[in-house]
């Protein structure tokens, strides 16, 4: 058997499994398909999901439940825009919320003109809103978020504590963020994930953010892998990836590793013996 150079080994405690999800169909997707200029319409400010988008959410929810993925995810990170939060809570939330429940709902009834029943925060992972995984910033009103104050009334159980400003100070009406800037922001976001202790994380984000970030990572891969990474996400598509800590960003250790030598005893390895014999032979 010849040694292969196409594989790599990494310690398991320096890897995380992330599940990347693009939001379901939003009203801006429909209008933009008809006329791209519609993306500049203020009528699409912080665009919500369409009825078809909610159907896509239901389909993905069924998949993550049947596949067992729903039980593995320890944290859901979501871009703080209406369409991504609707997608996230619909896919990974705790199901229908009932009055008198002991926990706040993830989403209140009808949030964002959804016409949907409230969604529970019970029996599901925590949800954390993070601005670093937003779509391209600027120019397109659909990519401008509403205030955190408003969001907290619609999504009471989502954690917005990492968002510094109530209003959206990142979005500018006349300056569109470059593709390169989005990709670098995305790579910094993935580096930041190493500050989290969770190992299985779902991230609900946007087409441009995912596309440009993954293409940056693809530059170091075999062309076939780069092509796989670089494909645009469909609405409500989920892809699982392994995030590897190659630069010692994380500081944790594996809870499964075992140091050996318990009890202690003589353990001269055969390969070390070979080296010792070669050293002795070289001296003679």
């Amino acid at each position: 058997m010849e040694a292969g150079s196409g594989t790599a080994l990494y310690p398991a405690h320096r890897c995380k499994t992330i599940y990347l999800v693009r939001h379901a169909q939003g009203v801006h997707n429909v209008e933009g398909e008809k006329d791209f200029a519609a993306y500049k319409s203020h009528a699409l400010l912080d665009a919500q999901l369409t009825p078809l988008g909610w159907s896509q959410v239901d389909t993905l929810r069924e998949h993550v439940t049947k596949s067992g993925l729903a039980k593995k995810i320890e944290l859901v990170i979501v871009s703080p825009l209406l369409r991504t939060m609707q997608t996230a809570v619909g896919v990974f939330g705790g199901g229908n919320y009932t009055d008198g429940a002991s926990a706040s709902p993830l989403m209140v009834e009808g949030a964002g003109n959804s016409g949907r029943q409230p969604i529970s925060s019970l029996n599901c992972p925590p949800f954390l809103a993070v601005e670093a995984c937003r779509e391209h910033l600027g120019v397109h009103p659909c990519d401008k978020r509403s205030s955190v104050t408003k969001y907290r009334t619609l999504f009471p159980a989502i954690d917005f504590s990492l968002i510094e400003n109530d209003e959206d100070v990142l979005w500018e009406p006349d300056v569109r963020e470059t593709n390169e800037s989005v990709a670098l922001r995305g790579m910094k976001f993935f580096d930041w994930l190493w500050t989290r202790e969770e190992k299985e994380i779902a991230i609900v984000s946007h087409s441009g953010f995912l596309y440009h970030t993954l293409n940056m990572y693809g530059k170091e891969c075999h062309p076939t892998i780069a092509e796989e990474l670089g494909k645009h996400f469909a609405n409500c598509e989920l892809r699982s990836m392994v995030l590897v800590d190659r630069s010692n960003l994380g500081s944790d250790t594996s809870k499964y590793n075992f140091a050996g030598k318990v009890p202690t005893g003589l353990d001269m390895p055969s390969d070390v013996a070979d080296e010792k014999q070669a050293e002795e032979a070289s001296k003679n």
Side-chain angles (χ1 to χ4, degrees), residues 117-222:
Q117 293 296 311
I119 296 174
S120 173
S121 61
L122 295 175
N123 302 315
C124 67
F127 286 67
L128 179 64
V130 177
E131 296 218 88
C133 61
R134 284 176 58 175
E135 183 59 290
H136 279 82
L137 299 167
V139 180
H140 295 174
C142 60
D143 298 327
K144 186 178 190 298
R145 70 167 174 84
S146 300
S147 70
V148 172
T149 298
K150 177 181 177 179
Y151 284 153
R152 283 189 169 128
T153 65
L154 300 177
F155 303 95
I158 292 182
D159 182 354
F160 295 96
S161 62
L162 294 184
I163 299 180
E164 298 180 356
N165 298 283
D166 187 48
E167 297 293 339
D168 188 355
V169 300
L170 300 177
W171 187 91
E172 298 181 55
D174 302 318
V175 180
R176 185 70 169 167
E177 188 178 17
T178 65
N179 296 339
E180 292 76 14
S181 178
V182 172
L184 290 174
R185 171 161 59 87
M187 296 182 79
K188 289 180 180 179
F189 166 76
F190 285 128
D191 284 350
W192 169 82
L193 288 179
W194 285 103
T195 68
R196 305 291 313 186
E197 64 180 16
E198 298 89 357
K199 293 295 187 180
E200 307 254 355
I201 303 174
I203 299 154
V204 184
S205 186
H206 306 265
S207 174
F209 174 84
L210 295 170
Y211 175 78
H212 294 294
T213 302
L214 294 185
N215 268 283
M216 286 289 284
Y217 284 102
K219 292 180 179 180
E220 300 180 357
C221 300
H222 184 279

Side-chain angles (χ1 to χ4, degrees), residues 260-278:
K261 279 197 168 185
V262 180
T264 59
L266 300 177
D267 67 347
M268 172 64 76
S270 61
D271 58 326
V272 175
D274 291 340
E275 294 173 3
K276 295 293 185 182
Q277 291 175 2

